Amino acid sequence: GYGVKYDGEVWDFYEKIAVAKDSVPVGVVLTLAATGSEMSNSSVITNEEGWLKRGYSSDLGMPKFAIMNPELTYTLPEYQTMSGCVDIMMHTMERYFSHEMDTELTDSLAGGLLKTVMHQAKILLKNPQDYDARSEIFWAGSLSHNGLTGTGRLGDFACHKMEHEIGGMFDVIHGAGLAAIWGSWARYVCKHDIGRFAQFAVRVMGCPMDYDNPENTALAGIEALENFYRRLDMPTNLRELGLADVTDAQIHEMAEKCTNVGKNRIGNFVPLSESDIEKIFKMAR
């Protein structure tokens, strides 16, 4: 849509060297519940010259309409369905893990959405043609990425940016890639706000609170989510993602691309340097 109205390369927008001024109208017919693009101003493309995966956000790209018929998702392979569920959850958690205080209602909305997706995903494992479960997942995907679950706080999105480099270099599904690195990211950053991770563990994952040592609760919540991913046959490390042979050089390249050769930091919960990102990728191997 942007490219039709632009004389240069559409990649200019994704490299942040141009700003979209116009777009042809965009409409969408969804065949997968995952990205929430139907209610989002974001888009992501991969440039095969250099294998760079980048996102661009502009309200000009907001769809004018979206047709969301759950029956169009009945024939999806289970792996694609579950990868979509992970992406929906990650869109919510990228906003949940924030340092802003006094966001009780937003926390509750996010927590309810996460628990709904977890419940419905287990139903779809048994019956992929459950119309109601597909509908709930569709609706959750829309609400997870339209700003609702981030109201009043600044999102993180470090995991998304790291996964973009994995997806840019290797043939992996986005949601599965997110599942593979989230636990390593969470363990790397959780000490910066144990209270937030402990709250997630108790309210979302149903872990008991260890008042004497909240860090135990925080770590239990991370492990509980990884166990849930395993129930969905989702990977929790790069090896399970199919990247058992990823090299230190490839990890370094991904970290470089993620930070524009070390010039930038990514994430807001804990701003991550190139060195931090390399460590997280290595933890995830």
Side-chain angles (χ1 to χ4, degrees), residues 106-128:
T106 304
D107 286 350
S108 298
L109 291 169
L113 191 152
L114 289 167
K115 288 189 283 188
T116 295
V117 174
M118 293 171 69
H119 176 70
Q120 302 299 341
K122 289 183 285 188
I123 292 175
L124 292 177
L125 284 175
K126 297 178 180 179
N127 179 15

Side-chain angles (χ1 to χ4, degrees), residues 2 18 49 58 105 115 149 196 254 270 272 277:
Y2 304 137
E49 294 181 8
S58 168
L105 177 56
K115 288 189 283 188
T149 60
R196 171 58 56 167
M254 290 190 291
V270 176
L272 301 174
I277 296 164

Side-chain angles (χ1 to χ4, degrees), residues 162 184-185 188-189 192 251 255 259 265-266 270-283:
M162 286 188 285
S184 296
W185 169 85
Y188 191 82
V189 305
H192 290 267
I251 285 176
T259 60
R265 289 176 179 258
I266 66 167
V270 176
L272 301 174
S273 67
E274 181 182 313
S275 174
D276 293 322
I277 296 164
E278 282 197 53
K279 291 174 183 176
I280 293 171
F281 278 140
K282 289 177 179 178
M283 286 173 62

